[in-house]
Amino acid sequence: MLRSMLGSSLVHLLALSGALLAPSSWASPTPRQSASWPYGPFQVSGAEMKNSRGDSIVYAGANWPGHGEVMIPDGLQYQSIATIVSKIKSIGMNAIRLTYAIQMVDQIYANGMKDTTVQASFNAALGSTNGPKVYAQFLAKNPSFNSSTTRLDVFNAVAAECAKQQIHVHLDNHMSRAAWCCSTTDGNSWFGDRDYNVSNWLRGLSYMAEHAKSWTALTSMSLRNELRSPDSNAALKAQSYNWRDWYTFVRQGTSRIHAANPDILIFLSGLDFDTWMTPVFQGTAMTPGTGKFSAADFPGHADKLVLEIHNYDNGATNCASLQSTLYRNGFQAMHADDAKTVTAFPVVLSEFGFAQTDSEWRRVYATCIASYLAQQKAGWFIWVLGGSYYIRSGTQDYEESWGLLSHDWSAWRSQSYVDGGLRPLIQNTAKN
Ligand SMILES: *[C@@H]1O[C@H](CO)[C@@H](O)[C@H](O)[C@H]1NC(C)=O
Ligand SMILES: *[C@@H]1O[C@H](CO)[C@@H](O)[C@H](O)[C@H]1NC(C)=O
């Protein structure tokens, strides 16, 4: 106890002094090459993500949200962590995109570097009637936890189970303020928006990169989910919502993560809800500035960068047109042979999804994306793993009809999709 308090106050002092030196800079360095799974450090080579043995890594996985108001991964009042990770593993998925909110880190700083207990977090998010009930269900399903378990203890346990079952963990900063994402008016849309304090964001990235360094399964982190126009802040929108400022803030974020953990990949997400990244790989001007993407702007970590894009063109009726959108806005980066590709990157479709009925997956959108990912040999994370959220947009125990799993996370919602669509997609893409 004393030991951990001392460690915490040291980190706190360093942070206060304005130089957030990660504890790694004074502890002994971790070995650079791991002889066991996942064989870090990871790096990028052209359009491929690779482990230290040179194996190509392609993520085939699901989003597992932990950025809602309770600020722990969803579903744990219904199933144990081991049961959920076993479900993921059972069909061959090899990765999760685990989301968190910067607010969790802000609260840790505000609370003398102590994280909140899960018990308190359930009460704060769900109220004094439902909070204790759901917390009791959480304990019943996950009996290794107790009244002193913190939110980060739960993240740690998810990561530990993923390591045990060899599921890669991609840690994603989804929001600043913990809540359902995303709208252009939710105050979390862009650097400097109402709840999107840039220095807290950078501090949060450093903290999580440092914290998650002990997770064997961690192989990548993102900077921020779905950047978007700050429509409730006209001045910010006019002055800053552009590729020039994107490039400034993105470099600050990547250098924070890389300084804390040089072994992992870092995902960059684009504008308009992360639907396009064109200037990055085409090497055109970061407008309204004149700067262009340059590896030299990412000292020592240009070979860690991966592009992520999202697609929710669920009403698509023309597959050729959907695929050309995906290519133009992102996947062209995987084609160094395209005359307009100046810098090649791996590209991961880190969100797409659709209602888990027995018919939806047979329509144009889902079949088209599946065939495209297979053709591109690209990674992906479907939205979403779970069949419910502790709370979403004010509704507790919110039913998620897009969830791969049923409301209580016990069974596949559409067995026909899992057998007819999802398993083939995994087989056609997943590597390592
Ligand atoms: C309570 O749970 C934490 C992890 O969440 C664990 O480290 C600790 O040992 C547990 N305490 C007891 C008394 O079981
Ligand atoms: C961001 O938060 C910090 C505290 O972490 C505060 O000092 C600073 O004023 C905030 N910045 C803005 C622009 O609100």
Side-chain angles (χ1 to χ4, degrees):
M1 176 63 103
L2 182 65
R3 194 188 141 96
S4 72
M5 282 176 65
L6 181 67
S8 296
S9 46
L10 264 176
V11 172
H12 196 49
L13 279 173
L14 289 166
L16 287 174
S17 78
L20 183 55
L21 289 174
S24 61
S25 53
W26 40 270
S28 57
T30 43
R32 290 287 299 165
Q33 290 232 340
S34 170
S36 55
W37 187 91
Y39 306 105
F42 273 36
Q43 64 174 41
V44 156
S45 168
E48 288 182 290
M49 299 176 9
K50 295 198 159 176
N51 65 21
S52 63
R53 304 195 302 184
D55 304 321
S56 171
I57 310 292
V58 178
Y59 289 159
N63 281 276
W64 188 347
H67 68 278
E69 287 84 344
V70 183
M71 296 181 240
I72 63 167
D74 270 296
L76 301 178
Q77 81 278 46
Y78 286 126
Q79 303 298 333
S80 71
I81 291 172
T83 301
I84 296 169
V85 175
S86 300
K87 275 298 222 199
I88 295 167
K89 186 76 181 177
S90 71
I91 55 170
M93 288 197 284
N94 67 3
I96 59 168
R97 180 171 180 252
L98 184 61
T99 72
Y100 70 93
I102 293 292
Q103 187 179 0
M104 176 170 68
V105 180
D106 291 345
Q107 290 177 342
I108 290 171
Y109 273 83
N111 192 29
M113 301 316 288
K114 269 188 68 187
D115 190 10
T116 307
T117 64
V118 172
Q119 183 170 28
S121 195
F122 270 121
N123 284 350
L126 307 182
S128 57
T129 306
N130 291 341
K133 279 192 212 159
V134 180
Y135 171 65
Q137 292 177 289
F138 160 86
L139 281 187
K141 287 292 175 187
N142 292 274
S144 69
F145 294 140
N146 56 60
S147 60
S148 52
T149 297
T150 64
R151 296 171 298 187
L152 283 175
D153 286 336
V154 179
F155 277 91
N156 293 347
V158 167
E161 185 62 33
C162 285
K164 198 168 151 193
Q165 301 204 35
Q166 302 196 342
I167 301 290
H168 301 90
V169 174
H170 169 74
L171 183 62
D172 171 70
N173 170 222
H174 214 71
M175 288 283 273
S176 286
R177 182 169 44 80
W180 176 250
C181 189
C182 303
S183 91
T184 57
T185 55
D186 65 8
N188 287 255
S189 62
W190 184 253
F191 312 98
D193 199 3
R194 187 186 68 232
D195 293 332
Y196 193 163
N197 177 311
V198 173
S199 47
N200 288 13
W201 168 67
L202 291 169
R203 180 180 73 174
L205 293 181
S206 289
Y207 184 91
M208 291 304 284
E210 183 58 41
H211 177 83
K213 212 171 143 168
S214 61
W215 300 353
T216 301
L218 182 80
T219 45
S220 53
M221 280 178 72
S222 78
L223 296 182
R224 182 70 162 200
N225 177 62
E226 297 196 356
L227 295 162
R228 52 201 178 273
S229 170
D231 286 344
S232 50
N233 192 333
L236 181 70
K237 180 175 177 173
Q239 287 158 19
S240 176
Y241 184 61
N242 56 52
W243 285 103
R244 178 197 61 205
D245 284 20
W246 178 91
Y247 197 51
T248 300
F249 293 121
V250 156
R251 279 179 287 166
Q252 294 173 11
T254 62
S255 62
R256 289 301 189 101
I257 292 177
H258 185 69
N261 186 344
D263 291 353
I264 57 172
L265 302 176
I266 305 170
F267 282 33
L268 310 185
S269 78
L271 265 53
D272 294 316
F273 295 89
D274 189 21
T275 53
W276 62 296
M277 302 286 302
T278 320
V280 183
F281 57 83
Q282 288 197 351
T284 53
M286 295 289 178
T287 54
T290 53
K292 295 175 178 173
F293 175 88
S294 163
D297 291 333
F298 299 84
H301 62 289
D303 65 348
K304 301 289 177 181
L305 307 179
V306 174
L307 307 186
E308 60 176 319
I309 62 164
H310 292 179
N311 184 282
Y312 287 110
D313 289 340
N314 293 65
T317 51
N318 180 330
C319 181
S321 125
L322 174 56
Q323 295 192 349
S324 81
T325 300
L326 289 167
Y327 183 82
R328 207 172 47 247
N329 292 349
F331 287 90
Q332 185 194 315
M334 293 181 72
H335 298 265
D337 57 340
D338 187 311
K340 282 188 175 163
T341 304
V342 170
T343 311
F345 296 89
V347 182
V348 171
L349 188 65
S350 54
E351 283 190 30
F352 72 103
F354 46 91
Q356 291 296 305
T357 64
D358 289 349
S359 55
E360 194 64 22
W361 67 271
R362 301 172 205 266
R363 297 179 57 228
V364 172
Y365 171 74
T367 54
C368 186
I369 284 192
S371 66
Y372 193 67
L373 290 169
Q375 185 196 106
Q376 301 293 314
K377 306 196 186 317
W380 51 273
F381 292 98
I382 194 168
W383 191 276
V384 60
L385 177 62
S388 56
Y389 304 95
Y390 301 122
I391 181 169
R392 167 172 154 182
S393 309
T395 301
Q396 296 192 18
D397 198 22
Y398 188 103
E399 159 81 351
E400 174 53 277
S401 58
W402 286 26
L404 292 176
L405 293 169
S406 54
H407 189 92
D408 68 359
W409 296 54
S410 65
W412 302 117
R413 204 171 269 268
S414 169
Q415 190 69 48
S416 81
Y417 172 55
V418 169
D419 294 339
L422 188 56
R423 282 180 190 269
L425 173 59
I426 295 163
Q427 275 154 19
N428 290 335
T429 50
K431 279 196 196 155
N432 283 283

